[in-house]
Amino acid sequence: MKCAGSSIELSLLKNCNSEALCTGGTPEEEEMGYSHRNNIFKESGKDVYRFHSHTWPSLFFERIKDTNRWNQYKKITVVRNPWDTVVSWYWWSLPGFEKDSRLLITEKDSQDKIREKFKLFLEMSSIHDSVRPDSMRVFSNPLSFISETNEKFIDPCIDYYIIFENIQKSYNSVCIDLNLSNTLLLRLKSSQRILSYHYSKYFSQETENLVREKFKKTIKEFNYTFDHIC
């Protein structure tokens, strides 16, 4: 979730045959070759996507037809500093509230105002994206949604964790170990983060601790810390 999974999936797809499953991306990304593949199924007479791009291991296992095939593959995912993840999630959710001045962070905002707006976002009860009503920008609570989803990827079945903070080197290491051709990763879904502030600019002590509480597994497993740069 907000950890460059799309970029990794697109790159790995180049090592796969026509039977590979791909969850695909936006219309713009489909033009780059990142399109849905073998993921449309009939349910109640309608075409539906069985897997979305953030399908966690246990959910994938529940939905796959032949569970024996699951054990024949290596499971790869990406992990990212939780505080940075949550900031990325804020910007990805922007179309759902971009007209709401209470939430929209701008260059004119002081640091206190940025933290105030960010806290309001983390604690709000719901967001609905009218632009993309079928997207994952619809949820009950932003922090709970992204933390609960991300934590589900800390799973014993995962064989490789690619580290977002050193993503190209980490990805190359996985490719070498699996004897796959490695390529320069493309940056997908990276334009939403309008302001390039370090994540620490968004957090008060209170919201920093909220994230620490919500991402216990990720922080413990990968020793992530909060860097006070701003």
Side-chain angles (χ1 to χ4, degrees):
M1 176 71 71
K2 300 310 299 163
C3 297
S6 297
S7 299
I8 298 294
E9 183 176 32
L10 175 58
S11 294
L12 290 175
L13 193 63
K14 297 175 182 178
N15 292 278
C16 301
N17 61 30
S18 60
E19 296 182 354
L21 166 69
C22 180
T23 56
T26 64
E28 295 80 7
E29 291 166 350
E30 288 184 358
E31 295 180 1
M32 303 166 62
Y34 184 41
S35 57
H36 288 274
R37 184 189 297 183
N38 302 318
N39 193 30
I40 299 178
F41 298 85
K42 289 286 186 182
E43 288 186 5
S44 301
K46 296 181 180 180
D47 289 340
V48 297
Y49 294 124
R50 181 164 295 176
F51 304 103
H52 57 72
S53 57
H54 303 294
T55 301
W56 52 88
S58 60
L59 179 59
F60 183 85
F61 189 79
E62 289 174 10
R63 294 183 176 182
I64 196 168
K65 287 185 177 180
D66 183 1
T67 55
N68 290 324
R69 294 187 65 185
W70 173 257
N71 296 321
Q72 299 175 21
Y73 290 87
K74 296 295 184 182
K75 276 71 73 178
I76 305 168
T77 191
V78 191
V79 67
R80 184 179 189 175
N81 181 296
W83 293 277
D84 195 31
T85 298
V86 174
V87 172
S88 182
W89 181 238
Y90 165 85
W91 286 109
W92 175 248
S93 303
L94 183 61
F97 57 82
E98 60 185 348
K99 295 181 180 179
D100 190 338
S101 60
R102 300 173 306 148
L103 296 169
L104 182 58
I105 294 172
T106 70
E107 280 187 297
K108 297 179 180 179
D109 290 331
S110 65
Q111 184 158 329
D112 285 343
K113 178 58 69 173
I114 289 172
R115 290 175 174 177
E116 176 186 320
K117 290 181 176 181
F118 191 64
K119 181 175 183 289
L120 182 60
F121 163 73
L122 294 181
E123 295 179 344
M124 67 190 305
S125 59
S126 65
I127 286 179
H128 177 75
D129 181 2
S130 59
V131 178
R132 297 182 183 178
D134 60 341
S135 76
M136 295 188 70
R137 291 193 180 96
V138 181
F139 44 84
S140 57
N141 175 269
L143 181 55
S144 293
F145 178 84
I146 192 170
S147 61
E148 289 170 8
T149 302
N150 273 263
E151 292 282 86
K152 291 173 182 176
F153 284 89
I154 310 301
D155 189 292
C157 78
I158 299 296
D159 298 296
Y160 295 97
Y161 286 96
I162 292 172
I163 308 302
F164 180 87
E165 289 74 25
N166 198 8
I167 189 168
Q168 187 67 57
K169 182 178 180 180
S170 185
Y171 173 73
N172 291 347
S173 296
V174 171
C175 288
I176 291 171
D177 198 51
L178 296 178
N179 196 29
L180 301 174
S181 61
N182 56 2
T183 57
L184 184 65
L185 294 170
L186 297 175
R187 294 189 65 189
L188 303 182
K189 299 182 176 69
S190 60
S191 61
Q192 286 85 6
R193 195 161 176 167
I194 299 171
L195 302 178
S196 58
Y197 300 141
H198 185 265
Y199 66 77
S200 60
K201 194 175 184 69
Y202 297 80
F203 290 93
S204 64
Q205 186 64 59
E206 179 185 3
T207 53
E208 175 191 336
N209 288 336
L210 283 175
V211 172
R212 181 175 287 107
E213 180 66 24
K214 290 286 189 178
F215 285 83
K216 286 182 177 179
K217 289 170 64 176
T218 304
I219 292 171
K220 180 179 180 180
E221 184 73 20
F222 295 95
N223 296 314
Y224 277 116
T225 60
F226 185 90
D227 296 323
H228 295 271
I229 292 180
C230 294

